[in-house]
Amino acid sequence: MAQPAHMASAWPDEPTPLALGTAPVPEYGSGSLADLLPTIAAGLDVPGFEHRIAELTPADRNCVFLIDGLGWEQIKAHPDEAPYLTSLLGGSRGGSGRPITAGFPATTATSLASVGTGRPPGEHGLPGYTVRDPAVGELMNQLRWKPWTPPHVWQPYPTVFQLADAAGVHTAQVSSPTFRETPLTKVALSGGTFHGRLTGEERMDLAAEQLAAGDRSLVYTYYSEVDGSGHRFGVDSDAWRGQLMCVDRLVQRLADQLPPRTALYVTADHGMIDIPFDEQSRIDFDEDWELRAGVALLGGEGRARHVYAVPGAEADVLACWREVLGEQFWVASRDEAIAAGWFGPAIDERVHGRIGDVVAAAHDDVIITASVNEPNESAMVGVHGSMTPVEQLVPLLEVRT
Ligand SMILES: [Zn+2]
């Protein structure tokens, strides 16, 4: 067990913990992923929604193209590989693009639920890659939905797609056939018709067709391989650059086919950061007796950890994690993270116990791996999850016809 927190100051070279007030909390309510579909729905006069993202103007036909893992900063850093996306960025480059915030943690399951439900993680209840299911006391992987739990008990809210469909808006999702029946699709993207297409080109062509199929339409489409190559090979690898070039052409292919009166929004679920393979940058929880002391379950992912303490050890675990991680992570108790708005302005009762007793969000270029329990995740080159701009800022690029 670590020394009690009050003794830490006896050591002059002990790092001071990062002040939680310095964390750039997502802009829930006016500039986050959870605000995009409600703003579009308000523009389509779907009952129950109001305009949240000030800069967006209504369109009759609306397409959201979500590129997994392609953050705002990554587009800005690669104008040669992404000439079309770069032309949409805004500022001196032309276009009217802007960054919005993904939400915390910046991870796919959380962000897709924020997009689809139009609610922040504290309400939709997918607040991490893995979180504890309070009903059984075990970790639940929300991307793979393992172990299985009833989807509509876990996330009971209707999606914006369902509400738009009910209001007579032509609504469709165009994605990989793999995702047709997944619980994550059910809780985040239900509503209207799901169309599975294997290739990006087929998805773009069908998305354009679906947009034209109604006078008022809402179409969602998705591409995963930028994220996949970033995890395996890194953000600046040849494989990743190749995927960026590929997706840049896909966006242009869709833009070229848009029917009249359409707004195409290109966005992402999170950015990505490469972490070096050395002991300073990769802290192995499974080999670290100080971090493990008093911990019953380690959830989340490398840069956004939910730490579930053995009952009674919550304060000790918080003090120890703060001391060990110093200025490398923002380390908050559950109550502190909730009060700071990390998961949104409100937390539903059923979501409370899914959040860690301690929540640790990376500030520096470091991750907390778990070499024994998470061998695959621990071997990733590119990762994401925290609140730093490179992970948190996602594009909101716009093409209008
Ligand atoms: Zn990812």
Side-chain angles (χ1 to χ4, degrees):
M1 197 61 209
Q3 298 173 45
H6 65 267
M7 288 185 66
S9 58
W11 301 90
D13 57 350
E14 206 62 60
T16 36
L18 260 188
L20 297 182
T22 63
V25 175
E27 291 176 23
Y28 299 116
S30 61
S32 78
L33 277 181
D35 304 309
L36 177 56
L37 257 57
T39 300
I40 293 171
L44 288 165
D45 296 325
V46 177
F49 291 102
E50 50 190 41
H51 197 88
R52 295 197 206 156
I53 301 179
E55 299 89 342
L56 297 196
T57 52
D60 293 333
R61 297 176 169 126
N62 299 268
C63 186
V64 172
F65 182 9
L66 192 141
I67 302 168
D68 201 316
L70 185 57
W72 172 259
E73 307 241 323
Q74 286 94 63
I75 298 175
K76 277 206 312 186
H78 294 88
D80 294 340
E81 291 85 355
Y84 188 69
L85 290 166
T86 300
S87 76
L88 305 175
L89 279 177
S92 60
R93 298 175 175 92
S96 57
R98 61 194 77 80
I100 56 173
T101 54
F104 181 78
T107 197
T108 298
T110 304
S111 290
L112 292 190
S114 298
V115 168
T117 64
R119 295 172 184 274
E123 293 176 36
H124 64 60
L126 281 70
Y129 173 60
T130 63
V131 299
R132 181 179 61 184
D133 179 352
V136 294
E138 286 174 12
L139 289 179
M140 148 55 169
N141 183 312
Q142 305 199 92
L143 193 62
R144 310 191 198 295
W145 218 265
K146 285 184 178 161
W148 192 87
T149 187
H152 294 295
V153 176
W154 193 260
Q155 195 301 93
Y157 292 105
T159 68
V160 181
F161 298 109
Q162 288 171 315
L163 297 170
D165 182 54
V169 175
H170 181 79
T171 304
Q173 298 82 30
V174 184
S175 187
S176 165
T178 319
F179 301 126
R180 177 184 299 277
E181 300 290 346
T182 68
L184 182 57
T185 297
K186 292 256 180 284
V187 302
L189 304 172
S190 288
T193 307
F194 184 99
H195 303 268
R197 289 293 183 276
L198 280 173
T199 71
E201 288 77 8
E202 289 175 293
R203 282 177 220 157
M204 298 303 103
D205 299 352
L206 186 60
E209 251 175 57
Q210 288 295 314
L211 281 165
D215 283 336
R216 296 185 306 147
S217 51
L218 173 58
V219 175
Y220 165 92
T221 187
Y222 171 82
Y223 188 75
S224 69
E225 284 310 305
V226 174
D227 183 71
S229 66
H231 282 307
R232 281 191 296 277
F233 306 110
V235 166
D236 232 357
S237 61
D238 287 346
W240 184 89
R241 286 167 189 249
Q243 280 299 331
L244 178 58
M245 292 164 73
C246 172
V247 86
D248 190 72
R249 287 193 296 266
L250 289 179
V251 174
Q252 185 156 21
R253 182 185 183 109
L254 175 54
D256 287 346
Q257 300 181 72
L258 294 177
R261 299 180 283 110
T262 299
L264 164 63
Y265 299 108
V266 179
T267 190
D269 51 351
H270 53 75
M272 189 172 278
I273 180 172
D274 288 352
I275 303 296
F277 281 85
D278 59 56
E279 273 182 32
Q280 290 75 41
S281 310
R282 292 174 178 256
I283 303 163
D284 187 357
F285 173 84
D286 289 335
E287 298 285 334
D288 190 312
W289 63 271
E290 281 187 295
L291 290 180
R292 277 193 355 236
V295 174
L297 289 171
L298 179 71
E301 61 203 294
R303 291 183 59 79
R305 285 297 185 186
H306 288 284
V307 189
Y308 306 94
V310 171
E314 294 88 351
D316 286 342
V317 170
L318 177 65
C320 183
W321 276 60
R322 280 208 169 120
E323 192 181 311
V324 169
L325 298 174
E327 293 181 313
Q328 300 182 96
F329 275 73
W330 291 285
V331 181
S333 69
R334 175 190 293 124
D335 289 346
E336 287 170 336
I338 290 173
W342 288 12
F343 299 98
I347 304 292
D348 283 9
E349 186 57 40
R350 69 178 214 297
V351 181
H352 202 262
R354 298 178 193 173
I355 295 170
D357 296 302
V358 174
V359 184
H363 171 271
D364 292 348
D365 296 358
V366 292
I367 51 172
I368 297 168
T369 60
S371 58
V372 177
N373 284 316
E374 302 171 357
N376 296 336
E377 292 89 340
S378 298
M380 287 174 174
V381 182
V383 291
H384 48 80
S386 192
M387 285 179 273
T388 66
V390 70
E391 299 158 275
Q392 188 60 228
L393 297 183
V394 293
L396 182 54
L397 312 182
E398 192 174 342
V399 180
R400 305 282 296 216
T401 58

